[in-house]
């Protein structure tokens, strides 16, 4: 803390006034054609220019600071980009995509007066869609440059377990983390987090480098038909291209990692972005005497090449290497002993690499994308109560998922109609060699069987094809007051019993937006969406038979109605109500519960026989306010009421693992004089559902499993306390010649609020911590009959300060 304020006093002596540069390209949003002669103005600086024959613009000698950038062109709706932060360290690359205005000039003045929303710029209806810019992502308090944490300020978004704890499992409107899909420049990436749970898609911390991201759009319903396998949300990350003029980049040091990003031109037609990031959490956790030692690397690149005026290529890649190991703490505590015995070691790696070709054609463009992604996870865990001798293995798993994908879509805009169609195909390979002890064999003192052993033990090798097709058309009618969009999609596969039937997954979707005034719209949508069960489910085997080959695609039908109010271009209000009806949801045949009630942890989900006969429902309402930066203040405020319930084999609806009921968040940012900036973020989530322990079964099995056994006859009948956290951040920038230094202090949980977590079942240790205490003084019996059970509360809350810096050059 003292170092932070010392540097704030020292650096002004070394800094001096500089100017910055904004550059970019302006295109037609529908056809992607470059627009010539577009006016681009820096609001408040009396600076501007027009685009050249390539649609490019450049504005030099801009005084340092934060600005609104505005583009306007005859025949198009004007568009503004807010919170454009001009520094001396690197050029700001800001691209625009303008939407054509009404061709019937003067006929509908309301439409002509209505500018594009600051948040939503290129869609037919703003229903269930939110967006964030790169500056909002970068400066998010408590976000630690992690996109999964940043999006928690949006309506309907929670995280697994505690509504905002240590994991990044994104829960959107009461749906499981595996129901989200992620696209990076139009190429699907299955994972966006380190230490991902297989079959869940959550994780501990984000992979994506925020320095690459131009903007992010999150759709929580009314999904475009081009996207498959989405039930809860679609995340569309759009990356910028590298600096076309000179070598530049940034380095960043934060509380948990060091990252470097480099960019520049390779040729007059080629630019690049490349980054690497290394964590040092393992050293920090060792210093803090914590038993876990998380360690990760991640890498990312993007190369853009312009073949000619109509054809461009983009090469992208992102990957990670994760190691979740353990160390013996200097001072043992019941909590650290529990962690050492309950969590498996976890080594994993993943990558996505791809190439996308974009070709402009008459009235539109064609996208062709070829990509490959792979995910490898190794888990291992030993018997919990082993006090000597040879440890007994209770979990060993080596699993790999590989997908090779080809996507083609054609996009046209003609005579007021915007339409698209395309096909997709992929070749899937899945291997899983697993041994897992679910229940140990337990006998009484007379040798009578009390509990039979339950294990999962198989080695599967699965490969099959997935393919699909879609069509989407939209049009404005009634003098452009009513915008309509209709889509149709079908998906098939070569593995499941009925996977080749296109009618089984025929998924129509319809959305509409009616313009009441130049400020008010009413929006509605209805759609059917399908998702293939996870590969851990499909690949499950017994006696060399695939027991889940009869699994159906999970189906969810969405009904949404809402309104949007735009009193100003920089201010947006939305209110929405939603209902999601689930069917064909996987239900565990072993435990009789829906996989939606298994939550998420560091391991795997779905390695068991299931029946896709489950049902579920999620419904609620959202309120959202977004204020873009125009002078010195920006912020968002959201509240969501959501109910999420699923049924198992008994058909009885119970609260799912994602049933938080109340979600509230707020973000406030303030630009201060002399390049200071302050931000505060608040999050609240209702208590997560919790299942009590089966005390008898837990005592019998803890010695081998290291965890308690939940009582599924009382599934989610308890709730944790609500989650509440306030984060703050202070930034100070200094601008030198072609270098900008940003020093920041980020304090997570500034009030030290307790973070509610699930109780932990364990056995009491003896005084010298050499073994477990017992009621009779004898060694612990395998059935735990002489153990002393202990329930550990899990509600610690700590203030976590982070002092870091970013150097742009």
């Amino acid at each position: 803390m003292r170092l932070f304020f010392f540097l704030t006093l020292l650096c002004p002596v070394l800094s001096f006034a500089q100017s910055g540069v904004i550059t970019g390209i302006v295109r037609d949003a529908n056809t992607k054609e470059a627009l010539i002669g577009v006016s681009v103005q820096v609001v408040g600086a009396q600076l501007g220019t027009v685009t050249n024959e390539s649609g490019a613009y450049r504005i030099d000698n801009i005084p340092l600071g934060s600005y609104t950038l505005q583009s306007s062109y005859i025949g198009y709706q004007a568009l503004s980009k807010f919170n454009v932060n001009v520094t001396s360290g690197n050029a700001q690359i800001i691209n625009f995509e303008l939407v054509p205005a009404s061709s019937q000039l003067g006929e509908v003045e309301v439409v002509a007066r209505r500018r594009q929303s600051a948040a939503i710029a290129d869609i037919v209806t703003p229903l269930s869609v939110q967006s964030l810019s790169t500056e909002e992502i970068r400066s998010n308090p408590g976000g630690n440059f992690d996109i999964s944490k940043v999006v928690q300020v949006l309506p309907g978004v929670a995280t697994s377990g505690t509504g905002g704890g240590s994991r990044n499992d994104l829960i959107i409107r009461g749906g499981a983390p595996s129901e989200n899909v992620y696209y990076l420049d139009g190429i699907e990436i299955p994972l966006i987090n380190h230490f991902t749970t297989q079959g869940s898609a959550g994780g501990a911390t984000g992979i994506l480098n925020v320095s690459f991201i131009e903007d992010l759009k999150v759709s929580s319903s009314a999904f475009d038909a081009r996207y498959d396998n989405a039930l809860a949300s679609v995340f569309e990350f759009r990356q910028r291209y590298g600096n076309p003029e000179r070598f530049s980049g940034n380095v960043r040091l934060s509380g948990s990692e060091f990252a470097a990003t480099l960019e520049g031109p390779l040729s007059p037609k080629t630019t690049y972005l490349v980054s690497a990031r290394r964590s040092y959490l393992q050293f920090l956790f060792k210093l803090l005497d914590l038993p876990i030692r998380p360690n990760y690397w991640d890498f990312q690149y993007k190369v853009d090449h312009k073949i000619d005026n109509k054809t461009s290529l983009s090469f992208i890649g992102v990957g990670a290497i994760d190691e979740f190991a353990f160390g013996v703490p200097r001072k043992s505590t019941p909590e650290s002993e529990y962690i050492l015995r309950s969590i498996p070691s976890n080594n994993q790696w993943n990558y996505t690499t791809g190439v996308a070709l974009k070709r402009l054609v008459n009235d539109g463009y064609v996208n062709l994308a070829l990509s490959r992604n792979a995910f490898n996870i190794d888990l291992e865990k030993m018997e919990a109560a082993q006090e000597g001798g040879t440890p007994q293995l209770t979990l060993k798993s080596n699993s790999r998922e590989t997908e090779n994908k080809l996507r083609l879509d054609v996009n046209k805009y003609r005579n007021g109609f915007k339409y698209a169609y395309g096909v997709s195909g992929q070749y899937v390979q899945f291997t899983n060699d697993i041994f897992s002890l679910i229940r140990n064999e337990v006998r009484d003192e007379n040798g009578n069987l009390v509990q039979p052993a339950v294990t999962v033990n198989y080695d599967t090798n699965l490969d099959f094809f997935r393919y699909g097709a879609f069509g989407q058309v939209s049009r404005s009618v009634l003098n452009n007051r009513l915008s309509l969009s209709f889509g149709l999609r079908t998906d098939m596969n070569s593995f499941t019993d009925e996977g080749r039937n296109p009618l089984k997954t025929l998924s129509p979707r319809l959305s509409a937006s009616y313009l009441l005034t130049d400020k008010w719209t009413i929006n509605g949508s209805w759609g059917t969406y399908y998702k293939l069960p996870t590969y851990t489910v499909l690949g499950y085997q017994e006696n060399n038979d695939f027991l889940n080959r009869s699994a159906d695609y999970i189906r969810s039908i969405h009904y949404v109605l809402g309104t949007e109010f735009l009193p100003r271009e920089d201010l947006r209000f939305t209110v929405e109500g939603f209902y999601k009806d689930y069917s064909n949801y996987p239900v565990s045949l072993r435990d009789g519960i829906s996989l939606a009630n298994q939550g998420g942890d560091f391991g795997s989900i779905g390695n068991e026989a299931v029946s896709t006969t489950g049902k579920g429902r999620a419904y609620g309402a959202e309120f959202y306010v977004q204020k873009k930066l125009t002078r010195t203040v920006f912020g968002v405020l959201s509240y969501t009421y959501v109910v999420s319930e699923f049924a198992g084999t008994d058909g009885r609806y119970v609260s799912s693992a994602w049933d938080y009921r109340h979600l509230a968040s707020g973000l406030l940012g303030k630009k201060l004089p002399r390049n200071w900036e302050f931000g505060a973020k608040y999050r609240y989530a209702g208590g997560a559902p919790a299942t009590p322990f089966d005390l008898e079964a837990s005592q019998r099995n803890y010695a081998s499993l290291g965890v308690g056994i939940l009582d599924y006859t009382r599934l989610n009948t308890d709730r944790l306390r609500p989650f509440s956290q306030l984060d703050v951040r202070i930034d100070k920038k200094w601008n030198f010649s072609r270098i900008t230094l940003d020093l920041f202090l980020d304090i997570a949980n500034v009030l030290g609020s307790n973070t509610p977590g699930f109780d932990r079942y364990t056995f009491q240790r003896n005084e010298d911590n050499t073994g477990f205490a017992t009621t009779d003084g004898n060694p612990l019996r395998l059935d735990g009959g002489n153990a002393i059970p202990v329930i550990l509360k899990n509600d610690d809350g700590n203030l976590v300060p982070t002092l870091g810096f970013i150097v742009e050059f």
Side-chain angles (χ1 to χ4, degrees), residues 613-779:
T613 57
K615 57 184 180 179
R617 60 195 179 197
Y619 56 90
E622 295 175 350
F623 171 74
Y624 183 60
V625 182
Q626 184 176 29
K627 168 67 173 65
K628 293 287 187 175
L629 178 75
T630 48
R631 293 185 179 178
T632 62
V633 176
F634 63 93
V636 298
L637 178 66
S638 71
Y639 169 75
T640 303
Y641 175 76
V642 57
V643 175
S644 177
E645 299 174 325
F646 283 80
T649 54
D650 60 2
R652 181 174 57 90
Y653 281 106
V654 298
S655 292
S656 77
W658 329 119
D659 185 35
Y660 298 109
R661 300 295 169 98
H662 300 280
L663 301 170
S665 62
L667 170 66
L668 179 66
K670 173 71 174 177
K671 301 283 186 177
L672 301 169
R674 303 180 64 83
N675 292 324
W676 285 87
E677 184 173 339
F678 172 80
K681 179 176 69 177
Y682 175 76
R683 290 172 293 153
Y684 173 91
T691 302
F693 290 112
D694 182 328
L695 298 180
E696 183 179 347
S698 296
Q699 187 161 358
R700 284 201 306 262
N701 290 278
Y702 179 80
S704 57
L705 301 181
V707 294
I709 304 297
L710 300 180
D711 183 358
Y712 287 135
T713 65
R714 296 184 290 164
L715 179 66
N716 287 342
T717 54
D718 289 347
R719 282 191 179 269
L720 303 181
R721 291 185 302 100
F723 165 85
S724 176
Q725 182 168 309
L726 176 65
D727 307 323
V728 299
R729 175 172 168 142
I730 302 172
D731 284 75
K732 168 63 177 175
K733 289 186 177 69
W734 295 272
N735 289 282
F736 309 94
S737 179
R738 289 198 171 186
I739 295 177
T740 297
L741 170 63
D742 182 351
L743 190 66
F744 64 87
L745 176 64
D746 199 327
I747 306 177
N749 196 17
V750 68
L751 300 179
S753 304
N754 288 345
T755 301
F758 299 107
D759 290 346
R760 300 166 173 178
Y761 183 98
T762 186
F763 289 163
Q764 183 176 313
R765 304 283 291 177
N766 55 29
E767 290 185 2
D768 58 4
N769 198 33
T770 57
F772 287 101
T774 58
T775 57
D776 55 11
N778 294 320

Side-chain angles (χ1 to χ4, degrees), residues 360-627:
L360 303 186
V361 296
N362 289 336
D363 303 318
Y365 60 98
V366 177
N367 285 324
L368 178 65
L370 178 65
S371 65
R372 174 182 171 88
N373 55 262
F375 173 42
N376 189 94
I377 179 170
D378 296 329
L379 303 170
E380 186 170 305
K381 183 170 173 287
M382 297 297 178
E383 194 170 53
Q386 187 68 35
E387 302 296 345
T390 303
Q392 300 299 308
L393 192 70
T394 60
L395 171 65
K396 186 173 181 59
S397 172
N398 176 258
S399 180
R400 181 176 299 181
E401 303 175 6
T402 306
E403 297 172 322
N404 302 278
K405 302 177 181 180
L406 180 66
R407 292 178 179 271
L408 173 68
D409 58 78
V410 179
N411 306 267
K412 293 276 193 172
Y413 181 75
R414 184 178 298 163
N415 298 325
F417 283 93
K418 183 178 180 180
Y419 60 93
Y421 55 89
V423 294
S424 62
Q426 57 182 289
Y427 175 57
V428 176
Q429 296 169 291
F430 174 68
T431 62
N432 194 8
D433 184 0
I434 181 172
F435 168 79
S436 178
L437 178 65
I438 307 300
R439 302 282 191 277
N440 205 4
E441 180 183 281
V442 176
R443 295 181 179 271
D444 61 20
E445 295 178 347
N446 299 320
N448 299 316
L449 184 66
V450 176
Q451 174 182 278
V454 179
T455 61
V456 172
N457 190 2
Y458 65 91
D459 185 0
T460 190
N461 193 333
L462 173 65
D463 64 299
F464 64 99
F465 290 93
R466 295 171 55 184
Y467 38 94
F470 82 93
Q472 183 103 18
V473 61
S474 59
R475 168 74 166 161
S476 293
V477 297
L478 300 181
N479 293 329
N480 292 303
R481 282 185 176 273
L482 177 63
S483 297
L484 298 171
S485 180
F486 175 75
L488 188 66
R489 180 174 186 92
T490 184
D491 290 286
M492 294 160 281
N493 73 87
S494 63
F495 173 70
T496 61
D497 290 343
E498 297 191 54
R500 293 178 174 84
N501 184 353
L503 299 180
K504 290 284 290 186
T505 58
L506 202 61
S507 51
R509 64 278 312 264
L510 175 67
S511 61
S513 179
Y514 185 74
L515 192 62
L516 294 172
T517 70
D518 63 332
K519 295 182 175 62
W520 284 97
T521 59
I522 294 179
N523 311 298
S525 74
W526 162 84
T528 301
Y529 310 101
Y530 287 92
K531 173 182 171 55
L532 189 68
T534 59
Y535 297 140
T536 49
V537 168
L538 297 181
Y540 178 75
Q541 283 189 328
E542 286 185 13
N543 301 319
N544 295 320
D545 290 331
F546 291 104
L547 263 61
N548 296 328
R549 188 186 288 270
S550 61
D552 291 319
Y553 281 77
I554 307 169
R555 184 179 71 178
S556 181
I557 303 176
H558 292 203
Y559 308 88
V560 185
L561 182 65
T563 184
E564 181 192 46
F565 177 52
L566 293 174
R568 299 194 308 267
E569 189 183 15
D570 63 308
L571 186 60
R572 178 174 183 248
F573 295 81
T574 64
V575 177
E576 288 186 12
F578 60 90
Y579 186 93
K580 300 192 291 186
D581 182 20
Y582 290 89
S583 58
N584 303 339
Y585 215 93
V587 175
S588 168
L589 295 180
R590 181 176 64 225
D591 298 320
I593 68 168
S594 171
L595 295 195
N597 280 308
Q598 290 196 1
D601 209 337
F602 296 108
S604 295
I605 291 176
N607 292 306
E608 57 183 302
V610 302
S611 170
T612 52
T613 57
K615 57 184 180 179
R617 60 195 179 197
Y619 56 90
E622 295 175 350
F623 171 74
Y624 183 60
V625 182
Q626 184 176 29
K627 168 67 173 65

Side-chain angles (χ1 to χ4, degrees), residues 347-370:
N347 294 309
Q348 56 182 262
W349 53 261
N350 70 82
Y351 69 83
T352 298
T353 184
V355 56
L357 173 71
K358 178 175 288 184
R359 171 71 178 176
L360 303 186
V361 296
N362 289 336
D363 303 318
Y365 60 98
V366 177
N367 285 324
L368 178 65
L370 178 65

Side-chain angles (χ1 to χ4, degrees), residues 169-186:
D169 308 53
L170 293 177
I171 315 305
I172 311 294
R173 289 183 172 178
S178 59
E179 298 176 19
N180 308 316
V181 295
Y182 310 96
Y183 284 85
L184 191 65
D185 289 341

Side-chain angles (χ1 to χ4, degrees), residues 183-229:
Y183 284 85
L184 191 65
D185 289 341
I187 291 177
E188 185 177 5
I189 52 172
L191 309 173
I192 63 169
N193 288 302
H194 290 282
F195 304 109
T196 288
T197 299
Q198 190 178 31
S200 173
T205 188
I207 291 174
L208 297 180
N209 185 345
V210 299
S211 295
F212 281 53
I213 305 302
E214 183 173 333
D215 56 49
L216 163 64
K217 185 170 74 176
V218 182
S219 304
S220 50
S221 195
F223 312 134
D224 193 298
R226 74 182 69 235
Y227 301 122
D228 64 312
N229 240 31

Side-chain angles (χ1 to χ4, degrees), residues 134-175:
T134 181
E135 186 65 18
E136 290 169 321
I137 294 170
R138 184 202 64 80
S139 61
N140 187 276
N144 196 28
F145 309 97
D146 186 340
I147 290 174
S148 295
K149 290 182 171 60
V150 172
V151 298
Q152 293 174 32
V153 301
L154 299 178
V157 180
T159 54
S160 177
T162 63
S166 60
R167 288 182 61 89
N168 272 357
D169 308 53
L170 293 177
I171 315 305
I172 311 294
R173 289 183 172 178

